Amino acid sequence: AAATFGQREGRPFLHVHGIWSEPDGERRGGHVLTDESVIAAPIALEAWGIPAVAITAREDPETGFTLFHPQPRPAAGRAAPRLVVARVRPNEDACEAVEAVCRAHGVSRARVRGTVGSLVGALFHDAPGTTDIATEAFVLEGRVVPDDEGAPRASLAPVG
């Protein structure tokens, strides 16, 4: 699963997309409703916080949905490592968006961490497309490396 912790309507909010196996072994995925879910066994997790960024859910005029938006805030305590937090907007290619952010910030190599999002009618190079109104997605690992001309090129690992 991947989760985003932020604020919604002035209160703490956790938005989770996950993949799980049902008791019959069938694999499922989607939203995990945190106020209705119980973790029944110990789990391992990796988490990171970004003190310099607040994540706030608010109405998005472009989509008509309530979406998370990163907002800068003064970092408390020590300086954060070099990082960039960005939102991939609707109808953007995720890799192209990451590459554009890297170019804008002078980054040629990076580790990409994603939170949660939705794809509508996504097309893939090596897999069937999606036709559902929204397919939940999250990025567990991605990399940016320079191409032969030194331009940043992103790759996002599929969740499998």
Side-chain angles (χ1 to χ4, degrees), residues 1-4 48 86 111-117 137-142 156:
T4 299
W48 62 96
R111 184 175 186 188
V112 178
R113 296 300 192 139
T115 56
V116 297
F138 53 94
V139 175
L140 293 180
E141 187 64 40
L156 305 177

Side-chain angles (χ1 to χ4, degrees), residues 39-112:
I39 298 173
I43 61 170
L45 66 93
E46 182 177 0
W48 62 96
I50 306 168
V53 177
I55 306 295
T56 305
R58 66 176 190 267
E59 182 74 19
D60 181 72
E62 186 173 356
T63 63
F65 291 106
T66 299
L67 301 176
F68 281 119
H69 297 264
Q71 299 175 310
R73 69 175 176 194
R78 64 188 176 107
R82 182 170 174 175
L83 64 92
V84 176
V85 177
R87 177 176 172 240
V88 175
R89 303 213 31 96
N91 300 312
E92 282 189 282
D93 177 285
C95 286
E96 290 175 9
V98 168
E99 293 163 2
V101 167
C102 287
R103 284 191 302 275
H105 292 276
V107 175
S108 61
R109 292 184 179 275
R111 184 175 186 188
V112 178

Side-chain angles (χ1 to χ4, degrees), residues 1-2 19 27 94-95 112 114-115 119 123-128 136-143 154-160:
I19 299 171
R27 191 170 167 177
C95 286
V112 178
T115 56
L119 305 174
L123 301 175
F124 302 98
H125 294 287
D126 58 355
E136 306 305 337
F138 53 94
V139 175
L140 293 180
E141 187 64 40
R143 297 273 180 209
S155 64
L156 305 177
V159 175

